[in-house]
Amino acid sequence: MTIGRRNGWGMEADRIRGLDGIRAFAILGVFYTHFVDENSLLGDLAVRTFFILSAFLITGKLVALRDAEGFTFAALRSFYARRALRLLPTYYAMVLALAAIGLVTIRDGLFYHLAFLSNVWFAMAMNWNPWVLAHTWTLSVEWQFYLIWPLVVLNCANRSVALAAAGAIAIALAFWLGCYVAGYYPDNVVLWSPFSLDAFGMGALTFFYSGVLARTLRTRLIAALLPAALWSALQLVETDGRPPFLVVVDFLLQILPLLPMAILIAITASGTSPILNRILGARPLAYLGRISYGCYLYHFPMLWLMMHIMWQVFDYPLKRGIIELVVVAIPTIAFSALSWKFMERPIQKWGADRQKAAQAKITA
């Protein structure tokens, strides 16, 4: 597929129900890791899936915006306005609510969290305090990506954008290599943005090379080999405790799933697999994926709330396991559905109406 050719589904990709199904499985992976088994890799895989999917969709929208309007401050403002209306109101509502009840204070890095620097705070603090916001490091990394990537896409031709995406992957690999050479690898090192650039770069490249990634024969071969290699790497974790070796294993666990996830997203967005589309596009999964941002945002505060309710009302200490998964995930999903219906969706509609009104004035 020629880089200069744009995907036919670029601007509509975020409306494909199958992609919402991928989001649904990702949020379920986060739930499983945080509520059932903290050693599970499903949570890490889910986060990186969100990164790939986000970069895929954002790149498509930015390319369409650039082709329609060129690089203008109006185009840049339009992009950031849409992102802000989609993500900021619920985020700030949650953080400020937690601050109001004393769960997050200035000493806990409140200003870092408000500035989308949670990853910096947790990396420097060398701990997960306040734990009710521990998950927000991923949102901070994503916003830091948003600060740079629109400038690249809106200013460059597709070939240059693809090269920049490949460069982002190379930067991430260089940081991993640096850790290996230096023998320095604390658990918090992956919180820094450069370590996630490979996922964002892969998402952007997926937009440009979807036609290649969605080919059936190549898909089957790659999708079969890489998970097997991932599983082999998992087996090695228990056999050696040397820090340099752990860097290699952790690197493999991070990098190997990227291509299979890119292939899955490309196939789903292209609609070339009716069976896959039926599975991922099933209404319950699609709906869960649609509200997955709220599910991710609220799941730790909901865990705190349910722990207190279970202890004070039922005298039951909530512990990791299936019971915690059920007790916390169900109200999280319910609250997220309410948040979507009464806050997120109305705000998005208001923003869309304002944009249409502004465009009508320009064309009048």
Side-chain angles (χ1 to χ4, degrees):
M1 178 178 179
T2 304
I3 292 180
R5 191 180 306 163
R6 194 173 70 232
N7 294 353
W9 56 83
M11 284 299 292
E12 300 298 324
D14 56 345
R15 298 182 182 179
I16 295 174
R17 285 169 54 181
L19 295 182
D20 281 328
I22 294 176
R23 292 188 182 98
F25 278 112
I27 196 62
L28 291 174
V30 170
F31 283 173
Y32 181 82
T33 297
H34 287 167
F35 299 149
V36 179
D37 182 7
E38 63 180 347
N39 296 317
S40 169
L41 292 172
L42 289 178
D44 290 337
L45 179 61
V47 165
R48 291 172 74 75
T49 300
F50 280 129
F51 286 164
I52 297 172
L53 186 55
S54 177
F56 170 75
L57 296 172
I58 291 303
T59 301
K61 291 181 178 181
L62 287 169
V63 166
L65 192 62
R66 182 204 63 204
D67 291 350
E69 303 183 25
F71 177 69
T72 64
F73 286 108
L76 199 61
R77 184 173 63 248
S78 174
F79 169 79
Y80 283 123
R82 289 182 181 183
R83 286 289 84 196
L85 286 175
R86 175 67 187 98
L87 303 177
L88 296 189
T90 45
Y91 177 82
Y92 282 128
M94 180 201 68
V95 173
L96 293 176
L98 293 176
I101 62 177
L103 287 181
V104 182
T105 66
I106 294 176
R107 290 184 176 181
D108 296 324
L110 175 61
F111 293 130
Y112 280 84
H113 302 303
L114 292 175
F116 281 92
L117 293 171
S118 297
N119 62 320
V120 176
W121 169 260
F122 290 123
M124 294 191 307
M126 302 288 286
N127 60 52
W128 290 106
N129 181 49
W131 68 265
V132 288
L133 289 181
H135 59 307
T136 60
W137 76 269
T138 64
L139 303 177
S140 296
V141 167
E142 192 160 355
W143 264 106
Q144 289 153 26
F145 171 73
Y146 290 159
L147 292 178
I148 299 173
W149 194 239
L151 299 176
V152 175
V153 180
L154 294 178
N155 269 299
C156 301
N158 285 353
R159 186 174 298 277
S160 298
V161 176
L163 288 174
I169 296 174
I171 290 172
L173 300 184
F175 271 79
W176 281 102
L177 179 62
C179 287
Y180 176 76
V181 172
Y184 176 77
Y185 183 67
D187 291 339
N188 67 327
V189 74
V190 296
L191 301 183
W192 296 101
S193 293
F195 287 90
S196 297
L197 285 178
D198 51 353
F200 289 118
M202 181 63 74
L205 288 177
T206 301
F207 171 77
F208 292 112
Y209 292 103
S210 294
V212 175
L213 293 174
R215 289 177 185 169
T216 305
L217 179 59
R218 197 171 299 183
T219 296
R220 289 174 178 171
L221 289 175
I222 297 175
L225 292 175
L226 288 186
L230 173 62
W231 177 254
S232 299
L234 284 170
Q235 306 311 303
L236 298 174
V237 175
E238 302 295 333
T239 64
D240 200 319
R242 294 173 294 164
F245 178 80
L246 293 179
V247 173
V248 173
V249 171
D250 210 354
F251 164 74
L252 290 174
L253 296 180
Q254 297 285 337
I255 200 71
L256 285 174
L258 294 184
L259 191 53
M261 293 311 305
I263 292 170
L264 177 63
I265 290 170
I267 294 174
T268 304
S270 68
T272 55
S273 175
I275 295 177
L276 187 62
N277 286 345
R278 281 199 296 270
I279 295 173
L280 293 177
R283 288 188 179 276
L285 279 178
Y287 182 75
L288 180 59
R290 182 66 64 91
I291 65 172
S292 60
Y293 176 63
C295 291
Y296 187 81
L297 202 60
Y298 302 131
H299 78 283
F300 266 169
M302 186 63 70
L303 173 59
W304 174 85
L305 178 62
M306 297 310 297
M307 286 174 64
H308 279 263
I309 290 177
M310 294 298 290
W311 176 252
Q312 296 184 11
V313 176
F314 300 101
D315 194 26
Y316 180 83
L318 201 57
K319 299 179 181 179
R320 288 184 187 275
I322 299 300
I323 293 179
E324 182 173 296
L325 175 65
V326 173
V327 168
V328 182
I330 290 177
T332 298
I333 294 172
F335 189 78
S336 300
L338 294 174
S339 174
W340 169 255
K341 183 175 182 179
F342 295 109
M343 182 162 62
E344 297 169 59
R345 193 173 183 181
I347 290 174
Q348 283 185 276
K349 187 176 183 303
W350 172 80
D353 291 342
R354 283 198 62 183
Q355 186 174 20
K356 289 179 181 178
Q359 289 176 344
K361 287 183 180 179
I362 293 174
T363 56

